Amino acid sequence: MKYLFLICRDPAIRLTPQERASMQRGVTAWVEEMEGRGVLLPGGHELRPLNDARTVRVRGGEVLVADGPFAETKEQIGGFDILECADLEEAVEVASKHPVARYGSIDVRPFWDSV
């Protein structure tokens, strides 16, 4: 089953340059491990900062555009990965190994099966 991992972090948590470098090394190791296991699919990527984002809605035929993401949460999506895991248990285990899970969260979302 395919899963979308939304990589979320709290922008209030500031990492030192050393912590950021360590986290980046951890992400590289995580990617290598998951590619080796054959569960990481192509397509994941880090996202640009929130001030570059827009939320688009159409109401009553009118296009409404808001600056930034419109989410009622402290944590914001900083990137995503697409994985194919045997089941939810494996997806949770894989997410628990992601370095960002130590200071943010990984939202694990299963895809609908293709028809």
Side-chain angles (χ1 to χ4, degrees):
M1 178 173 262
K2 289 184 182 172
Y3 293 88
L4 175 67
F5 282 20
L6 298 174
I7 314 302
C8 304
R9 62 178 301 272
D10 183 343
I13 297 175
R14 302 282 186 222
L15 299 178
T16 66
Q18 296 84 1
E19 289 170 328
R20 179 124 176 106
S22 176
M23 189 267 308
Q24 290 293 59
R25 286 190 301 275
V27 168
T28 299
W30 181 86
V31 166
E32 290 172 357
E33 179 183 348
M34 297 312 141
E35 285 176 338
R37 287 174 58 169
V39 298
L40 184 62
L41 300 176
H45 209 285
E46 186 174 1
L47 300 176
R48 293 188 52 84
L50 298 178
N51 59 350
D52 291 342
R54 300 295 179 268
T55 297
V56 178
R57 292 178 173 75
V58 177
R59 300 293 185 268
E62 183 181 354
V63 177
L64 307 171
V65 180
D67 289 345
F70 190 77
E72 298 295 327
T73 179
K74 287 191 293 184
E75 292 185 334
Q76 298 295 325
I77 299 169
F80 66 95
D81 289 303
I82 301 172
L83 292 96
E84 184 149 3
C85 299
D87 52 29
L88 183 58
E89 184 176 324
E90 182 183 22
V92 169
E93 180 263 329
V94 168
S96 73
K97 292 185 170 197
H98 197 290
V100 175
R102 287 184 232 128
Y103 66 91
S105 65
I106 310 300
D107 189 1
V108 178
R109 303 287 303 272
F111 283 85
W112 282 105
D113 289 332
S114 299
V115 178

